[in-house]
């Protein structure tokens, strides 16, 4: 693969550099920044006491040494858990050393925003709201309030936005578009529905987010999305042949567990 490209594809670290460090931990995001990722992807859920935390699953069982639903636990409960113990520690051969417990405790979205702000370079954030949830509507409300605190939801800065909100839920994106129309929104898709086959997106969605399996099975869909005026951000792209496919199709962003390898394949390492 040659490094020359018609456009620069954004490389987005999925849950951080999650192949090298436990997903959604400070260690994973520090590694992604170190690797040179253009953007960081995270999932957010609301705790019982109203804090946004970066956790993918509804329950903490898979990615921590605890049990229970995130929405039923308070931040202090989550802070007592180790979110790195599940991943084979012999896998971590590169810095940062995620054996440090401070790097594998629960990560709040606020802390991640601080990390990005202190990075010293432009790093974008792709924040996914998870659904269904017992906190219908409150997740989006708290998220927008937090982004406003960091100056990331200002209409005056819309043209230089460094954050976007993603979801499989069209209702969630509609809430965001209504409350903060300056924030770009990404509609995530696992399957190609008949009503969206022509490239249209639900109301409130501005960017298409198809999964790599959908793109493999329906490569022409990317062209239809582009013809409809939409940018295309593909998840989760880890294999070299899938990276090459995304390049050929001219997608705007690749979301990957392996940001360092993808950057190298694109000639940017």
């Amino acid at each position: 693969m040659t490094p020359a490209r018609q456009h620069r594809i954004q490389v987005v670290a999925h849950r951080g550099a999650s192949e090298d460090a436990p997903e959604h931990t400070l260690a994973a995001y520090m590694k992604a920044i170190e690797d040179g990722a253009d953007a960081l992807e995270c999932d957010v859920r609301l705790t019982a006491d109203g804090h946004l935390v970066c956790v993918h699953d509804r329950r903490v069982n898979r990615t921590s040494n605890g049990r229970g639903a995130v929405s039923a636990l308070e931040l202090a409960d989550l802070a007592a858990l180790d979110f790195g113990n599940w991943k084979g520690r012999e896998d971590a051969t590169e810095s940062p050393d995620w054996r440090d417990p401070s790097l594998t405790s629960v990560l709040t979205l606020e802390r991640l925003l601080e990390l990005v702000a202190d990075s010293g370079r432009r790093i974008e954030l792709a924040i996914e709201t998870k659904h269904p949830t017992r906190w219908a509507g409150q997740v989006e409300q708290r998220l927008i309030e937090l982004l406003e605190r960091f100056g990331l939801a200002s209409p005056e800065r819309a043209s230089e936005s460094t954050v976007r909100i993603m979801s499989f839920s069209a209702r969630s994106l509609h809430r965001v578009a209504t409350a903060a129309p300056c924030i770009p929104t990404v509609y995530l898709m696992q399957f190609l529905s008949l009503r969206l086959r022509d490239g249209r997106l639900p109301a409130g969605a501005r960017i298409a987010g198809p999964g790599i399996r959908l793109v493999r099975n329906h490569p022409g869909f990317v062209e239809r999305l582009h013809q409809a005026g939409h940018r295309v951000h593909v998840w989760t792209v880890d294999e070299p042949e899938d990276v090459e496919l995304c390049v050929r199709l001219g997608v705007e962003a690749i979301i990957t567990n392996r940001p360092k390898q993808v950057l190298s394949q694109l000639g940017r390492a």
Side-chain angles (χ1 to χ4, degrees), residues 1-191:
M1 177 178 291
T2 62
R5 295 286 176 258
Q6 290 184 326
H7 68 281
R8 181 185 176 99
I9 299 176
Q10 186 180 72
V11 176
V12 185
H14 183 244
R15 309 179 196 174
S18 54
E19 183 169 89
D20 295 322
E23 66 181 61
H24 284 126
T25 61
L26 194 59
Y29 289 108
M30 289 172 62
K31 182 67 169 64
I33 292 172
E34 178 185 296
D35 287 346
D38 300 308
L40 309 176
E41 185 270 351
C42 68
D43 305 292
V44 292
R45 291 185 178 275
L46 198 63
T47 65
D49 52 345
H51 294 274
L52 287 167
V53 292
C54 301
V55 180
H56 176 272
D57 299 359
R58 187 178 71 86
R59 301 177 65 84
V60 300
N61 302 35
R62 177 180 66 88
T63 56
S64 82
N65 58 348
R67 300 182 66 81
V70 175
S71 60
L73 298 169
E74 295 190 352
L75 182 59
D77 302 321
L78 294 166
L81 304 178
D82 180 357
F83 280 81
N85 75 313
W86 62 275
K87 188 174 176 68
R89 295 185 182 274
E90 67 278 3
D91 294 342
T93 58
E94 301 184 59
S95 62
D97 186 351
W98 53 266
R99 295 170 183 82
D100 181 346
S102 68
L103 298 179
T104 58
S105 60
V106 69
L107 181 64
T108 63
L109 180 59
E110 182 175 11
R111 179 68 186 93
L112 181 57
L113 289 169
E114 291 171 348
L115 178 68
V116 170
D118 293 340
S119 68
R121 66 177 177 91
R122 180 186 172 94
I123 300 174
E124 297 191 13
L125 268 174
I127 303 171
E128 180 184 344
T129 62
K130 304 302 294 183
H131 294 84
T133 173
R134 67 166 64 183
W135 305 119
Q138 293 185 47
V139 172
E140 293 82 7
Q141 179 184 343
R142 295 294 178 89
L143 175 53
I144 291 169
E145 289 172 354
L146 183 57
L147 293 177
E148 286 175 342
R149 278 179 44 203
F150 279 80
L152 297 173
S154 168
E156 293 77 18
R157 298 183 58 183
S159 61
E160 56 187 68
S161 176
T162 58
V163 66
R164 55 187 176 268
I165 296 176
M166 311 191 300
S167 185
F168 286 96
S169 168
R171 180 175 295 181
S172 175
L173 296 183
H174 187 265
R175 291 188 189 115
V176 172
T178 300
C182 60
I183 299 178
T185 49
V186 183
Y187 183 59
L188 299 173
M189 294 172 277
Q190 190 168 6
F191 307 104

